[in-house]
Amino acid sequence: RRSGMRIKAKLATLLSGLLATSALATENTYIAAESIPFAFEAPGQPQQLGPLSGVRSTGPAGTMLKVRGGFRAPIHAHTADYRAIVIEGQWKHWVPETGEGQEVELLPGAYWTQRKDQMHADACVSETHCVILLINEDPYETYLAEKAQLHPK
């Protein structure tokens, strides 16, 4: 129990630093986990997004991603660099072209970064759902490998 509390305290400290942007907060914000406004990213897709701060499609933002256990995303990329932290579940994140990240076990508290426009893959390898915190500074959109020619580097 103590180690779990220490991990949660360290994670809370890390999260507070990562969510800070160059803009100063005008007021404190509190969102209980059960009150995060998760919504499906697109019709027919299983991933849900819960905005915490900012609007990720227009600039700096912190967004929770929630997917069911066993979820595997198609190879894709994003229009912005991002940082990520596993909150719940066991996650895999890798770059198929190089194999980078393939052997890394991403459990709660694990952190990674992803460069914009680099094709990569993700999977929730838990039996239970996964929740990931995504943090971007620049406008952020997702595109699939077959649409990569629409987003020149």
Side-chain angles (χ1 to χ4, degrees), residues 38-110:
F38 283 103
F40 288 98
E41 184 173 18
Q45 294 186 3
Q47 65 271 23
Q48 297 178 62
L49 298 176
L52 299 177
S53 66
V55 176
R56 75 187 205 146
S57 64
T58 62
T63 307
M64 298 290 256
L65 167 69
K66 183 193 266 187
V67 297
R68 63 176 164 36
F71 169 81
R72 185 175 176 131
I75 296 174
H76 63 283
H78 309 282
T79 56
D81 296 345
Y82 73 85
R83 297 165 284 167
I85 298 174
V86 177
I87 305 299
E88 293 182 50
Q90 182 177 353
W91 195 257
K92 284 198 67 125
H93 176 89
W94 68 99
V95 178
E97 185 177 354
T98 65
E100 174 187 315
Q102 186 68 39
E103 302 302 319
V104 180
E105 184 175 328
L106 299 168
L107 297 173

Side-chain angles (χ1 to χ4, degrees), residues 109-131:
Y111 170 81
W112 76 92
T113 60
Q114 177 59 56
R115 293 188 335 256
K116 73 176 186 173
D117 295 322
Q118 182 181 47
M119 290 293 154
H120 60 277
D122 293 284
C124 176
V125 295
S126 309
E127 290 183 18
T128 60
H129 71 266
C130 289
V131 177

